[in-house]
Amino acid sequence: MTQEWPSFARKLAEVLAELGPDQFLVISDPITTRFVQFVAHGADGMRAEISSNANLSPGDRLSRAQAAELVSAGWAKPTDTPKRFTADTELEGSPNFFIDFPAPVEVERISKQTIAALTRVLRIPRPEMLEYAAFDADGRPIEFSELGIRRIEKRPQINPGRISRRLLACLRKFTGIADLDYDEDGDIGLIFDNVSMFIRILGNPPTVRFYAPLVHGARESRSLLKRLNELNSGFGSMHFFILNRTIGAVAEIPASPLHHEVLAQTMNQFCSVVDGVNKQLNEEFGRKRSYLKQPKSTMVH
């Protein structure tokens, strides 16, 4: 190891300490495209990853000896290739070699382990040969000039399939329904009490939308619009509306990154509010209750 590496290790530890929740740092070798990357999860700690062969061209792939050396140094094996990454492994695994460091994050330990991988396994001669990209969850670039290496513009790759699988995995974990799945329309349907709810991913950047039809056959009137305005002013990001004679409720959260805790909190709040106003709206404006034929997998609140 050359004398530049200890200095770079200190700089890396300082940057990792600055990395905020849902911020990313990618350090790469422009010659081989091999990389190490970090994502901060706030109270959930930090994840570090090293590129596996699934992400490398044939000439740059790691040998069996190099892969074994990473595993012996504490890096977990890739759980699967990206094409076969499943909802069941999304929460715990990665298509790359990875380590999940709990909070409070020991940045010196992460830096030391990363430098060892860069020098002993990836065989990077000097840190100045590396380059970095850093950005937040919305793709806005972050500058860490203290690293002393070239910064490149690089936006995070949004993989719709991976986001869909993660949403399904989070909902399965939250509801305890192992066979929960998407229907033919791309919705995940759940029933709580007498209200049906549909969850899907929409837009670019992607968002997770919660939708519940509450009252069917409603007629638009001044009193109804006044009631909806009252509801919309009292429940923050939730929105109540009437469309095609159906009164509905929606809420949205960012889908990338998607954290189980945020999803669970939003879903709990959505269910609680909808459950509270559903009966009132039906009594005031409805002709029939918003029952839905129960799907294969349902959640009872």
Side-chain angles (χ1 to χ4, degrees):
M1 181 186 297
T2 61
Q3 61 182 5
E4 297 96 337
W5 283 108
S7 175
F8 183 74
R10 289 191 296 271
K11 296 174 183 177
L12 177 59
E14 292 173 359
V15 168
L16 293 178
E18 293 180 34
L19 211 61
D22 299 329
Q23 292 184 344
F24 302 78
L25 172 65
V26 182
I27 297 177
S28 56
D29 173 15
I31 298 177
T32 65
T33 69
R34 295 172 180 173
F35 63 84
V36 294
Q37 63 184 12
F38 311 88
V39 55
H41 293 304
D44 293 328
M46 179 176 291
R47 167 169 286 197
E49 296 189 351
I50 293 179
S51 52
S52 71
N53 289 343
N55 295 304
L56 298 173
S57 60
D60 297 330
R61 290 174 182 168
L62 303 177
S63 66
R64 290 184 179 180
Q66 288 174 307
E69 193 171 354
L70 284 175
V71 173
S72 65
W75 298 85
K77 293 180 180 180
T79 52
D80 214 332
T81 64
K83 291 183 179 179
R84 297 180 57 199
F85 215 40
T86 67
D88 296 326
T89 61
E90 174 73 17
L91 288 177
E92 304 298 335
S94 170
N96 297 308
F97 295 91
F98 67 98
I99 302 178
D100 286 317
F101 296 92
V105 176
E106 300 178 38
V107 292
E108 290 81 8
R109 175 190 168 198
I110 301 176
S111 177
K112 181 178 179 180
Q113 201 147 357
T114 300
I115 298 304
L118 288 171
T119 57
R120 300 173 189 172
V121 181
L122 302 187
R123 305 290 195 269
I124 306 297
R126 298 182 305 279
E128 56 265 30
M129 298 179 65
L130 299 169
E131 57 190 19
Y132 83 95
F135 41 84
D136 63 15
D138 295 321
R140 292 186 292 261
I142 305 171
E143 184 173 350
F144 291 119
S145 57
E146 56 266 46
L147 280 173
I149 57 177
R150 187 170 74 95
R151 181 171 73 91
I152 58 174
E153 294 290 341
K154 182 177 181 180
R155 294 182 64 85
Q157 298 277 332
I158 296 178
N159 185 325
R162 184 171 183 176
I163 293 174
S164 297
R165 290 190 293 269
R166 179 165 178 80
L167 173 62
L168 183 59
C170 287
L171 289 173
R172 285 178 176 176
K173 181 177 180 180
F174 175 64
T175 63
I177 303 173
D179 63 347
L180 192 66
D181 212 338
Y182 291 93
D183 62 20
E184 294 179 355
D185 297 322
D187 293 306
I188 299 174
L190 296 167
I191 291 179
F192 53 98
D193 289 343
N194 295 316
V195 180
S196 55
M197 178 174 67
F198 303 91
I199 306 170
R200 67 162 51 194
I201 297 174
L202 296 171
N204 185 23
T207 60
V208 177
R209 171 173 291 181
F210 302 84
Y211 166 63
L214 303 178
V215 183
H216 296 292
R219 293 183 180 276
E220 186 172 323
S221 64
R222 183 174 299 178
S223 60
L224 172 57
L225 294 178
K226 179 180 178 181
R227 186 77 170 93
L228 295 181
N229 285 334
E230 291 173 352
L231 291 172
N232 288 331
S233 65
F235 292 109
S237 60
M238 284 189 62
H239 180 68
F240 294 83
F241 63 94
I242 179 169
L243 180 65
N244 298 329
R245 300 188 65 182
T246 298
I247 300 175
V250 296
E252 294 183 353
I253 60 173
S256 178
L258 179 64
H259 295 299
H260 176 266
E261 293 78 9
V262 176
L263 180 72
Q265 181 181 4
T266 304
M267 189 169 172
N268 272 329
Q269 181 184 19
F270 186 82
C271 292
S272 176
V273 172
V274 166
D275 186 48
V277 303
N278 177 54
K279 183 178 180 180
Q280 299 173 17
L281 290 176
N282 273 278
E283 289 176 349
E284 294 176 40
F285 307 104
R287 293 188 173 185
K288 64 178 182 177
R289 299 293 300 276
S290 175
Y291 293 110
L292 180 74
K293 183 178 179 181
Q294 184 163 315
K296 180 179 179 181
S297 298
T298 61
M299 176 178 64
V300 178
H301 279 242

